[in-house]
Amino acid sequence: KNEVEQSPQNLTAQEGEFITINCSYSVGISALHWLQQHPGGGIVSLFMLSSGKKKHGRLIATINIQEKHSSLHITASHPRDSAVYICAVHRNDYKLSFGAGTTVTVRA
Amino acid sequence: DTGVSQDPRHKITKRGQNVTFRCDPISEHNRLYWYRQTLGQGPEFLTYFQNEAQLEKSRLLSDRFSAERPKGSFSTLEIQRTEQGDSAMYLCASSSDSSGGDWRTQYFGPGTRLTVL
């Protein structure tokens, strides 16, 4: 079993809809990251969380350390949000463990 | 400040050939990471350098794989006697211990896509 599990695997939404992606992990962590990957490979860091909630534009990330769970929300989704969203956890000094990613498609 | 760069972006090779990839981290980033990503999966950790020292090498890396960071700046990843199972995206990332930044935030390069025929 992977240390980091994401759901759903794929998600299709209509423009303007609210999107939620979930991440559960089974190991102790020092931080959790949400990453965005566009076709072609480039990965961009969206958030790093160790507690609570962070917001950037239309993106909101939350984490519950006790339940080992995090969510990424996209409000008022737009076709340019279409990408793969990856949850990753920092287990120790340097190593990241990644979820398999959630492919989000937003239709106009 | 340029980002992490990787070269080449794409590599097609025949089984049994050797390939070498290069990663140039963000200037003065002392931490450098290599990951491998297969289709439909998240990246997997391969190896980590702090300055020029290779501090960990994943079990995923057989003895056909070697990575170096000779002067603590750019890094190379070499695969000898490539196999079809080596086909993947090879990602490099860097981060910094310097004050003002969080070493846990990694900056990723665009990746090198390897296809072994």
Side-chain angles (χ1 to χ4, degrees):
Chain A
K1 189 174 185 293
N2 198 0
E3 293 172 342
V4 182
E5 298 283 349
Q6 286 186 236
S7 63
Q9 188 175 357
N10 297 284
L11 185 159
T12 300
Q14 285 297 124
E15 183 174 358
E17 288 184 341
F18 183 84
I19 290 172
T20 295
I21 303 167
N22 295 300
C23 174
S24 297
Y25 53 92
S26 58
V27 294
I29 68 169
S30 65
L32 181 143
H33 301 258
W34 281 103
L35 310 167
Q36 181 190 57
Q37 186 172 31
H38 280 284
I43 293 177
V44 174
S45 179
L46 298 175
F47 295 103
M48 181 175 66
L49 296 160
S50 51
S51 65
K53 176 179 174 178
K54 287 191 176 180
K55 184 176 188 291
H56 181 69
R58 295 179 294 103
L59 301 178
I60 302 167
T62 63
I63 188 168
N64 185 318
I65 296 293
Q66 287 73 27
E67 295 186 4
K68 291 187 166 67
H69 181 270
S70 176
S71 294
L72 177 68
H73 307 284
I74 306 174
T75 62
S77 59
H78 189 276
R80 65 175 174 267
D81 297 325
S82 298
V84 177
Y85 293 84
I86 301 172
C87 173
V89 298
H90 242 118
R91 295 171 55 204
N92 62 14
D93 186 43
Y94 48 83
K95 187 181 293 186
L96 277 175
S97 294
F98 297 81
T102 296
T103 301
V104 171
T105 304
V106 182
R107 301 198 189 282
Chain B
D1 186 22
T2 58
V4 179
S5 61
Q6 293 186 244
D7 183 70
R9 295 290 307 276
H10 303 273
K11 179 71 177 178
I12 300 174
T13 191
K14 292 182 179 178
R15 190 176 55 188
Q17 297 294 305
N18 299 343
V19 294
T20 299
F21 310 141
R22 177 178 170 126
C23 170
D24 286 88
I26 292 173
S27 178
E28 298 184 5
H29 275 196
N30 61 321
R31 295 175 179 239
L32 188 146
Y33 318 81
W34 283 99
Y35 299 96
R36 181 172 66 188
Q37 185 178 27
T38 54
L39 204 59
Q41 300 298 315
E44 298 171 295
F45 171 82
L46 290 180
T47 192
Y48 162 68
F49 289 86
Q50 188 157 344
N51 300 308
E52 66 275 8
Q54 186 175 20
L55 297 189
E56 184 171 343
K57 185 176 171 180
S58 166
R59 287 190 301 270
L60 291 174
L61 283 188
S62 72
D63 56 7
R64 297 185 296 106
F65 288 73
S66 61
E68 293 182 341
R69 195 183 183 198
K71 297 181 180 178
S73 56
F74 73 92
S75 175
T76 58
L77 178 68
E78 181 183 14
I79 310 174
Q80 295 183 327
R81 306 181 302 282
T82 52
E83 302 173 355
Q84 288 184 324
D86 298 330
S87 295
M89 176 76 84
Y90 290 84
L91 293 161
C92 175
S94 70
S95 68
S96 174
D97 284 337
S98 62
S99 59
D102 191 320
W103 55 264
R104 293 173 298 183
T105 297
Q106 295 183 17
Y107 297 83
F108 287 82
T112 294
R113 183 168 295 284
L114 173 67
T115 302
V116 182
L117 302 176

